[in-house]
Amino acid sequence: MTTLTIDISDAKAAELSQLIKSKGGVIIADSSELSKEEQVSLNQSLKEARLIREGKLKPLSFDELWDE
């Protein structure tokens, strides 16, 4: 499975959402449903995940996550 983060105009969002759903995809998050704080947190999380995958950031262990 692949997760995409995209930035498109509001006018095209509904059209693209319908296309994704018709192809069996699922919309996980819609920025119109997220607060500004949630959007910032989601973007930061995605950035960290990309850096971990590229080997540029050390992933946290379960114990480290639990402590946060």
Side-chain angles (χ1 to χ4, degrees), residues 2-68:
T2 299
T3 300
L4 303 173
T5 302
I6 59 171
D7 187 14
I8 60 170
S9 70
D10 291 339
K12 295 291 183 178
E15 182 181 336
L16 186 56
S17 293
Q18 288 300 326
L19 175 64
I20 290 167
K21 291 175 185 176
S22 73
K23 300 295 183 184
V26 177
I27 306 298
I28 297 170
D30 181 339
S31 65
S32 66
E33 299 171 357
L34 300 175
S35 70
K36 186 66 174 174
E37 183 178 293
E38 290 170 324
Q39 288 179 30
V40 169
S41 179
L42 178 60
N43 288 337
Q44 180 64 31
S45 299
L46 292 170
K47 180 180 176 182
E48 289 176 12
R50 185 173 44 253
L51 291 172
I52 290 168
R53 184 178 57 210
E54 293 171 356
K56 296 177 181 177
L57 183 66
K58 178 184 168 259
L60 298 175
S61 69
F62 180 77
D63 289 336
E64 291 170 313
L65 288 172
W66 187 260
D67 288 339
E68 286 190 21

